[in-house]
């Protein structure tokens, strides 16, 4: 059986989608293939997101924002978009979830912590839904 794959997409691929991908890797291990991308990738990861994830023992400093590609979307079973609206393309036949989350860009650490914790909860729910799929 092919392992399920999840693609997290936000505009800059510097905060929300990186934190979501890191949580999914952390919680699912190698049971799920994890990708993240942005419609307009930033130069680097949001340092406040890095700090917030470091507080829970997850290191995302080695991640690099990536541009969303047709191939990455085509190869994913579930596509989770975060606040990119029309900038996030739609691929027929995929399972979609749109997570309405505060954009951590320019936010203080306490706000980014809340976003981090909300993302963790949603990833846990996503995994619970994946098991019966």
């Amino acid at each position: 059986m092919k392992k399920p794959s999840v693609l997290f997409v936000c505009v800059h691929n510097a905060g929300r989608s990186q934190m979501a991908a890191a949580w999914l890797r952390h919680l699912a291990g190698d049971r799920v293939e994890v990708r993240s991308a942005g419609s307009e990738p930033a130069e680097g990861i949001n340092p406040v997101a890095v700090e917030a994830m470091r507080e829970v023992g997850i290191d995302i400093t080695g991640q690099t924002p990536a541009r969303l590609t047709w191939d990455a979307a085509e190869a994913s079973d579930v596509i989770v978009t975060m606040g990119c609206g029309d900038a996030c393309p739609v691929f027929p036949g995929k399972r979609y979830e749109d997570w309405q989350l505060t954009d951590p860009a320019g936010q203080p650490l306490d706000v980014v912590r809340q976003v981090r914790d909300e993302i963790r909860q949603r990833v846990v729910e996503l995994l619970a839904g994946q098991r019966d799929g």
Side-chain angles (χ1 to χ4, degrees), residues 6-21 34-41 66-69 72-74 76 78-91 95-101:
V6 178
L7 170 63
F8 294 103
V9 183
C10 65
V11 178
H12 300 301
N13 191 217
R16 290 167 290 190
S17 54
Q18 292 286 353
M19 288 194 284
V34 182
R35 302 180 178 96
S36 72
S39 51
E40 298 172 30
R67 180 166 298 285
L68 176 64
T69 64
E74 195 63 57
S76 301
V78 179
I79 299 175
V80 178
T81 57
M82 303 173 191
C84 49
D86 295 340
C88 286
V90 174
F91 295 87
R95 178 177 151 204
Y96 276 89
E97 290 193 17
D98 184 51
W99 294 357
Q100 299 295 321
L101 297 163

Side-chain angles (χ1 to χ4, degrees), residues 26-45:
H26 181 73
L27 295 167
D30 59 3
R31 291 181 296 145
V32 178
E33 191 174 336
V34 182
R35 302 180 178 96
S36 72
S39 51
E40 298 172 30
E43 293 291 310
I45 302 289

Side-chain angles (χ1 to χ4, degrees), residues 74-133:
E74 195 63 57
S76 301
D77 300 308
V78 179
I79 299 175
V80 178
T81 57
M82 303 173 191
C84 49
D86 295 340
C88 286
V90 174
F91 295 87
K94 301 295 176 185
R95 178 177 151 204
Y96 276 89
E97 290 193 17
D98 184 51
W99 294 357
Q100 299 295 321
L101 297 163
T102 301
D103 186 347
Q107 297 287 348
L109 185 57
D110 59 335
V111 172
V112 178
R113 282 186 188 119
Q114 291 169 4
V115 175
R116 174 199 69 202
D117 295 345
E118 186 176 346
I119 289 172
R120 182 188 190 281
Q121 183 57 43
R122 288 176 185 237
V123 167
V124 167
E125 290 165 10
L126 182 71
L127 273 172
Q130 281 292 337
R131 284 198 200 98
D132 52 24

